[in-house]
Amino acid sequence: LLLFSGGETRASAGPLSEGGSYWLAANGLNWFGHEELKARALTEEHARDSFENLLFSICRFFQLTGHFPHNITVVGYEFKRARFEDHHRAAISFPRTRFSYIGTRAPNFAAAARGEMKTIKAYQEDPYGCEEFLRGKRISRDPFAIGVPYYYRMPAQLRPLLIHCGPLPYLQTQLPWE
């Protein structure tokens, strides 16, 4: 299953999600010569930041399949590798041995790398994005006030993680992938 993740984060883009736009781009490019991907490529359309891209993709996978993923591969800019591997993956306690990251080249790497240092520092201090800086970014990236639909659609075992704020490690309940 291939999930394109990202919500309707920019008012200027109108009501088009990032995940939906990636799906449309791949479709417009005929799936880069792999038309068979279309049948198993879907979207997650509520994530407002990178942590939510990972967590909500797991939620969406569950909605579509009825079970949680055994392995996860994230494709993103290379400069975000540490953020996903060392911070987001750890925050949700997903096993390192079943997580992989494929990095791609960023168009303006120098500027992106400077911004990434600030973002990693924010996630080090606030792994779940609950405090002012990261929470504020999430609020600003929901210009159509859609919110997050996953809480009541997930098994009770996962719900506490969806609203958890606090330090690492997450210990409230054993997660389905542990």
Side-chain angles (χ1 to χ4, degrees), residues 51 54 80-93 96 116 119-121 123-125 127-128 168:
F51 176 73
L54 178 58
K80 292 185 179 184
R81 178 184 297 274
R83 183 192 319 181
F84 278 89
E85 289 182 342
D86 301 335
H87 301 284
H88 298 334
R89 182 206 53 77
I92 65 167
S93 301
R96 184 178 292 277
E116 183 64 5
T119 301
I120 283 183
K121 184 176 184 321
Y123 277 111
Q124 285 172 331
E125 296 170 1
Y128 301 97
L168 293 176

Side-chain angles (χ1 to χ4, degrees), residues 14 18 26 29-30 37 47 59 61 83 85-87 89 102 111 114 117 128 130 145 147 150-151 155 161 163 165 168:
E18 291 176 8
L29 294 168
N30 294 313
L37 289 175
C59 294
F61 186 97
R83 183 192 319 181
E85 289 182 342
D86 301 335
H87 301 284
R89 182 206 53 77
I102 298 172
R114 286 190 299 274
M117 290 188 307
Y128 301 97
C130 301
Y150 296 110
Y151 184 82
L161 179 60
I163 59 171
C165 292
L168 293 176

Side-chain angles (χ1 to χ4, degrees), residues 124-141:
Q124 285 172 331
E125 296 170 1
D126 181 19
Y128 301 97
C130 301
E131 300 301 324
E132 186 176 346
F133 175 69
L134 293 172
R135 183 175 41 87
K137 286 176 77 171
R138 282 185 185 157
I139 291 168
S140 73
R141 291 179 179 169

